[in-house]
């Protein structure tokens, strides 16, 4: 605390040298080694997020300098996901109580290994991220993330082919042995007290063919989801991710019909209280959810009773130059091109979204831009539920987007992006 206080006082002294240069809303305004502007434009306040990062967040102060304020820009909790968000009188103004996200977490990968973006998966290529199956210690990772970082959700990707033990024929009957391995990861997740996203990681395809559009019939996808949902129908901490990253789907209306079939099957299996994530086209891009017609099409998907309770838009966004998540450096916070317009659409339509895949390299640029992205989502938490970083589990920490912590005799050490931006205990933007 003393170091932070001295740092804040130092910034006050420096502010006289930088009166002319001001950071924009959501821009950086302080932090260890920061040499840029330390004042904010009118209408925003320089807020200390952590020792390495202070940011201009919306507020009443004018031309403010960094002070040791808390990271929260609001004290309320996000809009409940038990029903649709209420459309605001102004689609640009966050609802009262915005400022804290409901969820933050990490993807725990391994069961998706062997899967490609054309929907082909080699069931034998799956590598359970559990030490009992000779994988990394996914259970230990999740316990660390919850206890030391304050995370409260994990996304658990898995290939359709692994669940059914059928590489080339789309069937819906779960293979008991394979599902038991996957369920071991789900149970390890639940044991931490966190929410757990069951994510079928097949890109709207099976073996190269698009579901409901030349590939498996909607009824097959529905039967698969009905079988999965029946296993977890009584557990409110399970979240169902209908499909990872549909892309190049020719008819978005038909795809919405496929999603509808899955939603209906999940609810009819008795899973009536859980969140269900609805994925759009173009790799589930947050930037193009509205422009490519996905938002309008998925807006027609309902529960069997006609309500939209618990139906959340699934979106992804990376921060590198081509939004692919394949580069170590980040160049954008995605606010102007993606999050701001999406927030307005969601608010106008009484809907919510969940950023279930985001990330960057373990570099200073990614720490900066990720802090900005998370802060904006928190400031608009009436429509954004949270974020899930990519990825830990069986990924090595040296992986370009690695968020896998290292374990040294029971002491876990996080990667730079986690420790500098994504950890809720660092950024303070997640409701405890």
């Amino acid at each position: 605390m003393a170091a932070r206080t001295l740092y804040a006082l130092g910034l006050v002294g420096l502010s006289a040298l930088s009166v002319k240069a001001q950071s924009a809303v959501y821009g950086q305004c302080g932090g260890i080694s920061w040499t840029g502007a330390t004042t904010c434009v009118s209408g925003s306040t320089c807020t200390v997020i952590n020792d390495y990062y202070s940011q201009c967040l919306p507020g009443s102060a004018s031309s403010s300098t960094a002070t040791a304020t808390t990271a929260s820009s609001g004290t309320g909790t996000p809009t409940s996901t038990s029903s649709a968000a209420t459309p605001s009188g102004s689609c640009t103004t966050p609802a009262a109580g915005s400022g804290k996200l409901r969820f933050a977490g990490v993807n725990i990968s391994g069961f998706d290994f062997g899967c490609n973006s054309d929907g082909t998966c080699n069931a034998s290529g799956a590598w359970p991220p559990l030490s009992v199956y000779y994988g990394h210690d996914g259970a230990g990772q999740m316990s660390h993330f919850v206890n030391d970082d304050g995370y409260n959700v994990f996304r658990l990707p898995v290939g359709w082919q692994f669940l059914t033990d059928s590489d080339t024929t789309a069937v819906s009957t779960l293979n008991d042995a394979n599902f038991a391995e996957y369920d071991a990861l789900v149970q390890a997740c639940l044991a931490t007290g966190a929410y757990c996203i069951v994510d079928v990681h097949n890109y709207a395809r099976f073996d190269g063919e698009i579901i409901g559009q030349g590939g498996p019939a909607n009824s097959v996808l529905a039967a698969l989801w009905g079988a999965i949902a029946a296993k977890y129908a009584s557990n409110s901490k399970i979240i169902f991710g209908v499909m990872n990253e549909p892309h190049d789907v020719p008819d978005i209306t038909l795809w919405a019909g496929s999603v509808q079939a899955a939603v209906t099957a999940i609810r009819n299996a008795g899973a009536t209280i859980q969140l269900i994530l609805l994925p759009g086209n173009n790799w589930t891009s947050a930037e193009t959810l509205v422009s490519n017609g996905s938002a309008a099409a998925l807006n027609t998907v309902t529960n069997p009773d006609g309500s939209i309770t618990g139906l959340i838009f699934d979106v992804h966004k990376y921060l590198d130059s081509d939004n692919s998540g394949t580069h170590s450096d980040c160049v954008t916070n995605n606010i102007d091109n993606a999050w701001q317009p999406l927030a307005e659409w969601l608010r106008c339509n009484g809907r919510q979204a969940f950023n279930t895949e985001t990330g960057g390299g373990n570099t200073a640029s990614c720490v900066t831009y990720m802090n900005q992205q998370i802060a904006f989502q928190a400031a608009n938490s009436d429509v954004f539920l949270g974020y899930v970083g990519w990825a830990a589990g069986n990924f090595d920490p040296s992986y370009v987007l690695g968020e896998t912590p290292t374990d040294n005799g029971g002491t876990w050490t996080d990667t730079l992006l986690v420790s500098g931006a994504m950890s809720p205990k660092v950024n303070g933007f997640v409701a405890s």
Side-chain angles (χ1 to χ4, degrees):
M1 181 63 71
R4 176 172 289 189
T5 303
L6 290 173
Y7 166 62
L9 292 173
L11 283 179
V12 173
L14 289 172
S15 64
L17 301 177
S18 55
V19 173
K20 294 182 180 179
Q22 294 183 324
S23 288
V25 178
Y26 301 109
Q28 186 170 359
C29 56
I32 294 173
S33 300
W34 173 247
T35 59
T38 57
T39 61
C40 300
V41 296
S42 179
S44 60
T45 303
C46 192
T47 303
V48 174
I49 305 302
N50 55 54
D51 289 344
Y52 294 89
Y53 189 81
S54 297
Q55 183 173 33
C56 295
L57 298 179
S60 59
S62 175
S63 300
S64 60
T65 56
T67 57
T69 57
T70 63
S72 172
S73 60
T75 57
T77 56
T79 302
S80 170
T81 54
S82 62
S83 60
T86 302
S88 171
S90 169
C91 294
T92 61
T93 304
S98 296
K100 289 280 190 178
L101 295 166
R102 179 175 175 183
F103 296 114
V106 183
N107 281 268
I108 306 297
S109 291
F111 281 106
D112 53 318
F113 285 14
C115 290
N116 300 306
S117 61
D118 63 354
T120 59
C121 292
N122 181 351
S124 64
W127 185 19
L130 294 166
S131 55
V132 67
Y133 298 117
Y134 308 102
H136 292 184
D137 184 11
Q141 292 175 23
M142 290 187 285
S143 293
H144 154 69
F145 282 134
V146 169
N147 296 328
D148 300 332
D149 288 313
Y151 284 112
N152 61 7
V153 65
F154 298 102
R155 185 169 178 252
L156 312 175
V158 61
W160 181 341
Q161 286 87 333
F162 178 80
L163 291 173
T164 60
D165 197 28
S166 177
D167 287 350
T168 57
T169 302
V171 298
S172 56
T173 302
L174 299 174
N175 177 273
D176 290 341
N178 284 9
F179 188 80
E181 291 187 12
Y182 180 70
D183 183 59
L185 182 65
V186 175
Q187 297 305 321
C189 173
L190 292 171
T192 69
Y195 285 78
C196 311
I197 303 173
V198 176
D199 161 54
V200 175
H201 213 76
N202 274 71
Y203 305 90
R205 290 160 167 77
F206 191 100
D207 199 21
E209 300 294 333
I210 298 174
I211 298 164
Q213 300 182 49
N218 289 347
S219 59
V220 181
L221 176 68
L224 175 74
W225 268 114
I228 295 171
K231 300 286 189 179
Y232 302 115
S234 63
N235 198 311
S236 63
K237 289 205 167 182
I238 295 293
I239 299 172
F240 299 111
V242 169
M243 183 61 57
N244 176 68
E245 294 189 345
H247 65 88
D248 301 293
V249 175
D251 191 321
I252 192 60
T253 301
L254 289 179
W255 172 244
S258 301
V259 175
Q260 178 66 74
V263 168
T264 300
I266 291 169
R267 295 306 192 210
N268 286 345
T272 59
I273 58 176
Q274 293 87 352
L275 301 183
I276 303 177
L277 306 180
L278 315 181
N281 207 355
N282 193 29
W283 311 91
T284 326
S285 170
E287 183 174 353
T288 61
L289 184 75
V290 176
S291 63
N292 69 23
S294 294
L298 294 173
N299 207 24
T300 67
V301 176
T302 67
N303 294 308
D305 63 2
S307 73
I308 56 172
T309 301
L311 303 184
I312 308 299
F313 289 105
D314 194 358
V315 293
H316 294 174
K317 207 74 176 81
Y318 289 97
L319 294 82
D320 54 358
S321 58
D322 59 1
N323 293 287
S324 66
T326 59
H327 304 92
S328 60
D329 289 325
C330 297
V331 300
T332 178
N333 55 28
N334 295 309
I335 292 171
D336 291 340
N337 61 323
W339 300 119
Q340 180 66 56
L342 180 57
E344 293 179 18
W345 188 92
L346 292 167
R347 197 169 287 123
C348 285
N349 288 273
R351 302 304 296 260
Q352 295 174 312
F354 193 170
N355 183 16
T356 62
E357 248 192 64
T358 189
N362 290 293
T363 60
S365 64
C366 292
V367 168
T368 295
Y369 287 120
M370 183 60 74
N371 270 303
Q372 294 172 2
Q373 177 175 277
I374 293 171
F376 180 84
Q377 291 174 338
N380 292 269
S381 61
D382 58 322
V383 292
F384 296 126
L385 297 189
Y387 59 90
V388 186
W390 185 270
N394 275 338
F395 280 115
D396 189 84
S398 64
Y399 164 55
V400 65
L401 299 187
E403 295 183 10
T404 305
T406 56
D407 178 17
N408 185 9
T411 299
W412 293 87
T413 301
D414 284 316
T415 61
L416 176 63
L417 190 62
V418 170
S419 63
M422 302 191 80
S423 166
K425 287 191 177 178
V426 169
N427 63 45
F429 283 130
V430 180
S432 57

